[in-house]
Amino acid sequence: MTNPGLPDPERLAARILGGERAAVASGLNLLDNRLPAARDRAVRLLACLSGGRWLTAGHLIGVTGPPGAGKSSLVSAMIREWRLAGTTVGVLAVDPSSRPQLGGGALLGDRIRIKTVGQDDGLFIRSLANRNQLGGVASEVWPMSWLMLACFDIVVIETVGVGQTEIDIAEIGDTVCYVAQPASGDTIQYLKSGIIEIPDIFAVNKADLGAAARKTASEIGRSAPRQDRREGWDYPVCLLSATMQTGIKEFHAHFDRHRRFLVAAGLLERQRSQHQSAWVLRLLKEEFGTFGLGLVGGRTAIEERLGACRSSQFEEYERMREHILSRLLSVNQPTFHHDRSI
Ligand SMILES: Nc1nc2c(ncn2[C@@H]2O[C@H](COP(=O)(O)OP(=O)(O)O)[C@@H](O)[C@H]2O)c(=O)[nH]1
Ligand SMILES: [Mg+2]
């Protein structure tokens, strides 16, 4: 079947790996396309992109927190630091609050006061303004973040925290950062909920507000210790101001430190592999339902298969998807014959 409108996955993958921005944009569009022909190619693209570096390269960072806390402002400040160091950055802004301003990604771009942002090849921002589903992060965000990881040193996903979002983002990111709004009910709710267990780094932005910010920072610092607290990681709470540019360098350094911690503890690969399994399962379930999962042995068998696969789970995903599709076709066939014979 020829689809002149759809890119060839092999060729596109090569261009993405070469860091070509137009190819990244076209790859993201392909992952976002729900047509069956596009889905086939999207899965093929992911499989092509996944080489040996897949599980170890780059740094996937999730930034979450209530609307207005200053997530976009902080991400912009961080981007400045990364770009000054020559580190390439891709951003997926899943932030509905960005939408009314200047259309889509303009808000975040606007906040980045790097004069060259328009022509900076080392920075790519994609706004997915309305993808913060009520029940969590939309499923296309995960493959999109992986595609970006194939060609940028750092990939940041900004999402607005609504409970399930945090849980989802923890299943995407290597490092999760929660940005708190000083003296806000959202933060108090957050501290009371189990979600406080998730972030690796806490940021209390708007330190320029003074006592309110300091109080929130100390509340977070005193909050219940995590059940699964990782030995060797200190869960830093940073008091900083994106507007006044205070505390940014220290904040920035924690991300690199956390990645180094994950690598040293052997957690980076393990975590990514677990994340991949969870999302592959989610994508298969979304596309084919429980019945579809049953056609490749059911959830537990799939998990085992994904856990055992040495190379890329996307290739395994592609194989399972093809298998389900062919089984669905053969399940349907007798009905077709029957229909024809009527
Ligand atoms: N006082 C103060 N305001 C800030 C600071 N950082 C961001 N803001 C403001 O907070 C508002 C929300 O910022 P934004 O980055 O869009 O928040 P997001 O919704 O979490 O992405 C904007 O009006 C910012 O100008 C800060 O450090 N201090
Ligand atoms: Mg924002």
Side-chain angles (χ1 to χ4, degrees), residues 71-72 95 97-98 107 158:
K71 298 178 296 298
S72 298
D95 184 353
S97 65
S98 309
L107 180 66
E158 180 194 332

XYZ file of all heavy atoms in Angstrom, residues 71-72 95 97-98 107 158, ligand 2:
53
model
N 6.201 26.705 36.157
C 6.891 25.588 35.489
C 7.561 26.055 34.197
O 8.741 25.802 33.983
C 5.900 24.449 35.187
C 5.273 23.835 36.416
C 4.267 22.759 36.068
C 3.067 23.256 35.299
N 2.242 24.243 36.021
N 6.774 26.738 33.350
C 7.334 27.190 32.066
C 8.477 28.173 32.300
O 9.496 28.122 31.609
C 6.257 27.865 31.213
O 5.242 26.944 30.911
N 0.586 21.631 28.414
C 0.121 22.589 29.405
C -1.045 23.393 28.845
O -0.864 24.303 28.048
C 1.295 23.526 29.754
C 0.921 24.504 30.845
O -0.271 24.541 31.224
O 1.817 25.229 31.304
N -2.718 25.617 30.045
C -2.708 27.047 30.376
C -1.883 27.856 29.385
O -1.946 29.071 29.350
C -2.203 27.271 31.806
O -0.863 26.865 31.886
N -1.103 27.163 28.569
C -0.315 27.879 27.558
C -1.196 28.283 26.383
O -0.827 29.127 25.597
C 0.794 26.991 26.985
O 1.533 26.409 27.997
N 3.926 30.599 24.205
C 4.138 31.100 25.565
C 5.497 30.672 26.099
O 6.271 31.495 26.574
C 3.031 30.605 26.496
C 3.181 31.092 27.934
C 3.010 32.604 28.015
C 2.174 30.419 28.843
N 6.653 19.116 30.232
C 5.972 19.947 31.226
C 4.501 19.571 31.246
O 3.822 19.625 30.228
C 6.124 21.436 30.875
C 5.424 22.330 31.890
C 5.242 23.776 31.423
O 6.053 24.261 30.617
O 4.270 24.406 31.874
Mg 3.351 26.409 31.688
